[in-house]
Amino acid sequence: MKMIRAIIQPHRLEAVRDALTQRGIMGMTVFEARGYGRQRGHTEVYRGAEYQVAFRPKIVADLVVPDNQVDDATDAIVSAAKSGSVGDGKIFIFEVGDAIRIRTGDRDENAL
Amino acid sequence: MRRFRPVRSIPAATRRPMVAAALGLVAGTVAAQPAAPAIDTGDTAWMLVSAALVLLMTPGLALFYGGLVRGKNVLGTMMQSLAAMALVGVLWVVCGYTIAFGSDLGHVVGAFDYLLLRGVGGDPLDGQSIPHLLFVAFQGMFAIITPALIGGAVAERMKFKAFLLFMLLWVLLVYAPLAHWVWGSGGWLLELGALDFAGGTVVHISSGFSALIACLMLGRRRGFPGEPILPHNLPLVILGAGLLWFGWFGFNAGSALAANGTAALALVTTHVSAAAGALAWLLYDWIKHGRPTALGTVSGAVAGLVGITPAAGFVSPAAAIALGAVTSLGCVTFVTWRTRRGIDDSLDAFGIHGVGGTIGALLTGVFASHNAAGLLTGDARQFGIQIVGVVATYVYVGIVTFILLKVLQGAVGLRVTVEEEMIGLDQTQHGEAGYSM
């Protein structure tokens, strides 16, 4: 059981969700976030002055899947979130120790 | 120059005292005219609405300024405007009005005859056709927004207590005397013939220049320049600018003090100047920075509104287009320069109101063609008088504001601590949060 944390461009979120759903992968929690990597900042203009804004808006999407779905899920995310330019984002994969469904008390992969 | 404008609406019987007043005679010398001035219901209805419109500008300003600061200072910034409504609302009735519009003392200030509005009732003043009380109310709305404008220069770092005391003293010692000079019967700038239709000097130069002095004395915000300190909510700014534009029709067209042709002219010139100002800044941003920005568009609209304020009832709609565009470009030039120089007039209170008010007051002396004449219509002297009015306002406002702030700095301190500034004014000054999860 793994947690997949995808940091993506905000406007790619719907495409990522569709791609995951098509492959039968359900459930995701998203956060609005700000950050930068190689893309660095961008320029904004306020009353004639240009400002370098270091942190760009991003979406962090967390999903937890059984081990055998990890490749499927990451393929789906990469295919939907990729534009080819700097700033497309990153995916991190973590081991998950346990999971509990609050309504039923189901454990582990039964809780997904 | 409000006394010029009602001429066309005044009944024939009272026209003579009006003209005498326009020539600069003290009202007292013509008070013995037999015909009592009469109330005009049309004028009164329009002025009741105008007074309400002008009040609406102050919450509009609260939104305009509130959106421009960071989220942690949104309430602190809006409270500066709200506090002006509360404080000056009372102050004007107690003694502000009489200092501005009481019997003339030496052409510089009004006497205390209208203290607590004693003797002010439903009868009109000489040369007016609306209840005296309504004139008090209309003028009171101007006295509220003027000190609130100063808040833009000291945003995100001034102690609330210091700002409140500053507004109290500033309205009594700067605004009210200045209003007397320009609009009060017997005021020296009125007698000199200075043209200020709705407050280019009294409202915009006075608040703008005080704002510049205040931001220089207070010092820059932590992190300015260097760190980008960006507006947290531009939709609030746009809503505020919309309310300002709307309320400004009362501010300028209401300054005709009557529902007549001059009011219609002022409404049209105000609207056109705002539009031209918005268009000029929009195009400037587009050409210079590659994008037409929303903040630039509304900033240009406000610059156009400021610029037309002294001129609204004196210039043609065509001149108002030029005036709005020139004022807007003058403001954006200054604002860009001051940011590069590291002057933290945070929300451009001087950059828009001071600069725009100055350009407008001077251009009034160039373009005046209705009820007055300017440089382009053959009266070079009027342009000279406009310069005198502008310079006198700068000198008086500069000196008194500087002294006031020095006194307050010693008495209560002007600036919040570094820690309070980092946490934000909402929490440290008001114990509230503008936004919670």
Side-chain angles (χ1 to χ4, degrees), chain B residues 292-316:
Chain B
T293 69
L295 178 58
T297 306
V298 293
S299 303
V302 174
L305 290 163
V306 170
I308 197 67
T309 295
F314 299 129
V315 300
S316 68

Side-chain angles (χ1 to χ4, degrees), chain B residues 166-216:
Chain B
F166 174 72
M167 285 201 296
L168 173 84
L169 297 169
W170 193 87
V171 166
L172 297 181
L173 300 176
V174 178
Y175 181 81
L178 211 54
H180 185 80
W181 295 3
V182 180
W183 295 326
S185 150
W188 74 271
L189 278 173
L190 179 72
E191 299 203 333
L192 190 66
L195 300 177
D196 188 354
F197 192 82
T201 50
V202 182
V203 174
H204 296 291
I205 293 180
S206 72
S207 63
F209 192 48
S210 290
L212 181 64
I213 290 168
C215 85
L216 292 175

Side-chain angles (χ1 to χ4, degrees), chain B residues 217-233:
Chain B
M217 289 179 70
L218 213 61
R220 304 159 176 176
R221 287 168 295 177
R222 256 186 76 85
F224 180 95
E227 291 170 28
I229 302 179
L230 304 179
H232 87 284
N233 191 333

Side-chain angles (χ1 to χ4, degrees), chain A residues 52-84:
Chain A
Q52 274 305 118
V53 179
F55 295 93
R56 303 217 45 162
K58 296 287 171 194
I59 289 283
V60 176
D62 280 353
L63 51 155
V64 179
V65 296
D67 289 341
N68 62 8
Q69 280 191 347
V70 171
D71 289 343
D72 237 13
T74 52
D75 286 353
I77 294 168
V78 169
S79 66
K82 182 172 176 174
S83 75

Side-chain angles (χ1 to χ4, degrees), chain A residues 84-99:
Chain A
S85 36
V86 187
D88 278 351
K90 286 196 172 60
I91 296 174
F92 301 106
I93 300 165
F94 310 86
E95 195 65 44
V96 175
D98 200 354

Side-chain angles (χ1 to χ4, degrees), chain A residues 18-58:
Chain A
D18 288 346
L20 287 166
T21 310
Q22 271 170 21
R23 291 168 203 233
I25 299 165
M26 303 295 194
M28 178 196 300
T29 304
V30 300
F31 310 87
E32 290 185 3
R34 295 188 307 152
Y36 69 94
R38 291 200 187 154
Q39 186 186 17
R40 295 206 298 276
H42 69 294
T43 303
E44 291 180 7
V45 181
Y46 295 95
R47 282 191 176 154
E50 293 187 0
Y51 296 90
Q52 274 305 118
V53 179
F55 295 93
R56 303 217 45 162
K58 296 287 171 194

Side-chain angles (χ1 to χ4, degrees), chain B residues 139 339 374:
Chain B
Q139 288 293 342
T339 309

